Amino acid sequence: MAMTITEKILAAHAGREFVEPGELINVKVDVALGNDITAPVAIREFDRLDVETVWDKNRVIFVPDHFVPNKDIQSAEQAKMLREFARKHALTNFFEVGKMGIEHCLLPEQGLVVPGDLVIGADSHTCTYGALGAFSTGVGSTDLAAAMALGETWLKVPESLKFIYTGELPPWVSGKDLILHTIGMIGVDGALYQAMEFCGPAIENLSMDSRFSMANMAVEAGAKNGIIAPDSTTWEYVQGRAKRGYHFESSDPGAKYAQVYDIDVSSLSPQVALPHLPENVKPVEEVANTTIDQAVIGSCTNGRMSDLREAAAILKNRTVNSNVRLLVIPGTQDIYRQAIKEGLVETFIAAGAAFSTPTCGPCLGGHMGILAAGERAVATTNRNFVGRMGHPESEVYLANPAVAAASAILGRIAHPREVE
Amino acid sequence: MELKGKTWKFGSDVDTDAIIPARYLNTSDPAELAKHCMEDADPGFPAKVEAGDIIVADKNFGCGSSREHAPIAIKAAGVSCVIAKTFARIFYRNAFNIGLPIFESPQAAESISEGDQISVDMETGRIVNHTKDQEYQATPIPSFMQDIISAGGLINYVAKRVKADV
């Protein structure tokens, strides 16, 4: 029987030949992930179980990234819980400040998730790893606790939606714009309980970083996972990184989809999601008069090397508008060092930006860039809910790094070509 | 078991940041989280909600973050159950795992007004609106999830399995 890539990975991890949408299955997980917000709750639940230790000390991964470097005593206590648990159970993949990164940038970079994997993480953006051709999904802390003990979890096999992207991407349009456009088209519950499979010539031509941005935001359409079949781009990325063996899966020709969408990308503009939902998407031209107080370039959606390169290309020899604070946050320590090597950090600082150690801080209104009442930010992050970046009366506009950089220069939301 | 209480109504796409803003996530203490439950959707909610009250919302309730703090905050605030047209996937899972009953019923979500007195039959998903003298049916809960509930949540369910393996 023909299966989608999602169904194939699920079947393989359930020890089955075949699975179909709607079935409840028990699956082995390759990686279970937690951060400094979700792991403390998971640790407490784990400790209620009568088990000696975690199922595999190499595959339970903790990345304190949300409130680190710790912003206050309470967040320090939470990070300490992770540190102590990691030591007690000899976790090999605990990433301390100075060696860490934003979890969803870090794990693929370090080769800790690979194509064909089944990954669960207590963070909704765990779906990012679908860009590598893995099945990965966000769960809560209690699910993480159970997986930490058993190395297994239960899943309902999702129906799949197929998104076929054709045409050539115009300048300044990237994976972020494709996913914003798609969420704008189907809505924030347009893929509820379903798998989003991204394919077509435009995806085949897409960089790995852009693919990560797309899979990252599948959850913003309510999806269980986003996934892209691995190809030569994936192979190049995984080569030399993968810490384990991997295998490439792809959908069978006769696989069943709940719906198929055809999207021509050739006339797309950079997209902007207006407050307060990621589905409120408009072409950048339509919101170009919107003044901003802050721009943020970073996060698990757009804090990767190509994002920083793109932003730096625009900011080179220019300065940030006097009414704007620009924050630039690399996704990992490796990206940080590479940005220094390439002179990007110098460019950002010379332009008047603040450049930070990796953190999720501003994306979720945690720390480093909280907005006051009435303030407005353009951000390369993934959510623009009420109060997401600070005061409930502040506003977040989501965009790609080039738009965020151009906006920082002009003091209003801008198309990158305006500063070319 | 029957849950009975008065309702608070919310719209579509109530997200986890509205249910419990991230600025309070430097703790996971349920009592602390309850103090800020639904704060960014309705700032007065934590002060006016009473034990046994029921939240009724439109589609995609709990969209956004995986934070289990969201259903924990609702449960700790005394809310007995949530009824919505649909729930976001991770929230749905989390609610069962921590023992917050939730029911999908488009009909109930549309017909119930704020302040209505309703009762919900946990086993059958039958919802009775005493104020309006109406009845609605919620989507049946998969038997697998009922097993988790009857075990007293996922951790107890897993604990049983761990013991069985020994």
Side-chain angles (χ1 to χ4, degrees):
Chain A
M1 285 287 278
M3 284 190 285
T4 66
I5 178 170
T6 294
E7 290 154 11
K8 279 185 178 175
I9 297 172
L10 292 179
H13 287 78
R16 300 259 302 267
E17 289 288 314
F18 180 74
V19 294
E20 59 184 340
E23 279 189 86
L24 287 164
I25 55 171
N26 215 46
V27 289
K28 293 207 178 306
V29 305
D30 293 300
V31 169
L33 167 73
N35 62 46
D36 52 325
I37 287 180
T38 59
V41 180
I43 289 169
R44 243 183 357 236
E45 294 303 307
F46 179 88
D47 286 343
R48 287 175 54 205
L49 290 169
D50 192 18
V51 292
E52 294 265 307
T53 189
V54 297
W55 115 93
D56 187 333
K57 64 186 172 63
N58 300 314
R59 291 166 184 255
V60 174
I61 302 180
F62 282 176
V63 187
D65 57 0
H66 279 61
F67 290 139
V68 301
N70 295 133
K71 69 158 185 147
D72 56 21
I73 294 168
Q74 282 180 305
S75 63
E77 297 289 348
Q78 297 204 127
K80 191 178 165 199
M81 271 182 83
L82 272 65
R83 195 174 295 127
E84 288 179 347
F85 185 92
R87 283 180 193 149
K88 180 179 171 190
H89 296 278
L91 303 190
T92 51
N93 292 300
F94 169 68
F95 292 89
E96 192 57 272
V97 170
K99 301 177 205 67
M100 50 73 77
I102 296 170
E103 51 196 323
H104 310 307
C105 298
L106 185 72
L107 266 55
E109 176 197 275
Q110 296 298 315
L112 293 169
V113 294
V114 295
D117 266 1
L118 192 152
V119 180
I120 65 159
D123 187 281
S124 61
H125 294 106
T126 303
C127 53
T128 306
Y129 318 133
L132 290 171
F135 175 92
S136 60
T137 194
V139 295
S141 297
T142 299
D143 275 321
L144 172 62
M148 279 159 54
L150 299 173
E152 291 177 11
T153 195
W154 66 269
L155 292 170
K156 188 168 161 185
V157 180
E159 292 182 314
S160 289
L161 303 175
K162 188 177 191 175
F163 297 85
I164 307 168
Y165 300 85
T166 54
E168 205 171 314
L169 283 181
W172 306 115
V173 178
S174 62
K176 179 64 166 289
D177 305 294
L178 295 188
I179 190 65
L180 284 176
H181 176 73
T182 305
I183 295 166
M185 203 172 75
I186 67 172
V188 290
D189 65 344
L192 199 58
Y193 309 131
Q194 294 170 312
M196 294 174 86
E197 186 175 325
F198 307 116
C199 58
I203 299 297
E204 287 157 25
N205 291 328
L206 215 53
S207 71
M208 208 56 230
D209 284 0
S210 259
R211 295 181 189 189
F212 282 126
S213 297
M214 289 191 75
N216 175 275
M217 289 191 70
V219 68
E220 311 310 337
K224 182 174 211 141
N225 66 312
I227 197 159
I228 296 170
D231 58 9
S232 57
T233 302
T234 324
W235 187 82
E236 276 165 33
Y237 182 85
V238 174
Q239 274 305 305
R241 293 179 197 272
K243 298 274 199 301
R244 287 183 280 114
Y246 53 86
H247 56 104
F248 285 12
E249 297 283 6
S250 59
S251 295
D252 293 324
K256 282 201 187 73
Y257 293 90
Q259 203 152 350
V260 179
Y261 297 89
D262 290 295
I263 301 165
D264 181 1
V265 304
S266 49
S267 58
L268 268 190
S269 285
Q271 305 282 297
V272 178
L274 279 62
H276 290 287
L277 279 179
E279 70 180 19
N280 297 334
V281 175
K282 287 188 174 167
V284 64
E285 292 89 344
E286 288 184 27
V287 283
N289 291 324
T290 315
T291 56
I292 58 163
D293 304 286
Q294 179 166 294
V296 177
I297 298 169
S299 87
C300 62
T301 316
N302 282 106
R304 297 185 176 80
M305 206 56 226
S306 56
D307 300 315
L308 299 194
R309 285 188 189 125
E310 199 167 64
I314 286 174
L315 286 157
K316 183 104 183 148
N317 300 323
R318 296 194 176 88
T319 50
V320 173
N321 188 281
S322 56
N323 296 324
V324 177
R325 293 100 59 183
L326 170 61
L327 312 177
V328 185
I329 306 174
T332 66
Q333 292 293 118
D334 280 6
I335 294 170
Y336 198 146
R337 294 176 78 176
Q338 185 64 25
I340 291 172
K341 240 185 246 172
E342 293 183 18
L344 309 186
V345 177
E346 177 56 32
T347 300
F348 291 129
I349 294 172
F355 195 83
S356 158
T357 189
T359 180
C360 304
C363 173
L364 76 161
H367 64 151
M368 300 246 333
I370 305 300
L371 299 173
E375 288 194 321
R376 192 180 287 141
V378 60
T380 68
T381 55
N382 40 49
R383 291 196 175 124
N384 55 354
F385 300 151
V386 170
R388 176 70 179 177
M389 201 173 274
H391 198 282
E393 284 160 34
S394 63
E395 292 184 342
V396 179
Y397 288 66
L398 306 176
N400 76 33
V403 170
S407 306
I409 294 166
L410 294 177
R412 59 171 175 81
I413 293 176
H415 193 298
R417 70 176 166 233
E418 293 186 64
V419 294
E420 262 186 295
Chain B
M1 192 185 142
E2 196 180 65
L3 305 168
K4 199 168 181 181
K6 77 170 184 302
T7 60
W8 297 99
K9 273 207 95 170
F10 292 89
S12 294
D13 309 311
V14 173
D15 60 75
T16 47
D17 284 83
I19 297 169
I20 183 71
R23 56 185 177 273
Y24 304 118
L25 295 188
N26 53 0
T27 177
S28 55
D29 175 14
E32 282 301 311
L33 298 173
K35 286 183 195 165
H36 305 288
C37 178
M38 306 298 286
E39 188 178 283
D40 281 2
D42 175 1
F45 189 78
K48 62 192 181 191
V49 67
E50 289 172 6
D53 285 357
I54 292 168
I55 288 177
V56 179
D58 207 275
K59 70 176 180 75
N60 202 25
F61 186 87
C63 63
S65 165
S66 68
R67 63 186 72 154
E68 209 161 281
H69 312 64
I72 289 172
I74 291 172
K75 195 181 171 193
V79 172
S80 68
C81 69
V82 184
I83 299 167
K85 269 189 190 170
T86 52
F87 289 90
R89 190 191 71 82
I90 307 174
F91 183 91
Y92 184 90
R93 208 176 158 117
N94 286 347
F96 279 98
N97 284 347
I98 68 142
L100 172 70
I102 58 174
F103 300 91
E104 284 190 333
S105 172
Q107 200 195 358
E110 269 173 26
S111 307
I112 294 169
S113 306
E114 182 155 300
D116 285 357
Q117 285 288 338
I118 66 168
S119 52
V120 184
D121 185 315
M122 287 271 286
E123 278 73 40
T124 63
R126 197 79 194 144
I127 301 165
V128 179
N129 186 334
H130 304 286
T131 308
K132 291 201 168 125
D133 197 20
Q134 292 172 338
E135 283 192 31
Y136 329 104
Q137 181 61 46
T139 310
I141 296 164
S143 61
F144 174 75
M145 316 226 27
Q146 284 178 19
D147 291 345
I148 292 177
I149 295 171
S150 59
L154 183 71
I155 288 300
N156 293 341
Y157 179 80
V158 171
K160 271 190 198 164
R161 275 195 55 191
V162 169
K163 278 212 180 97
D165 283 349
V166 171

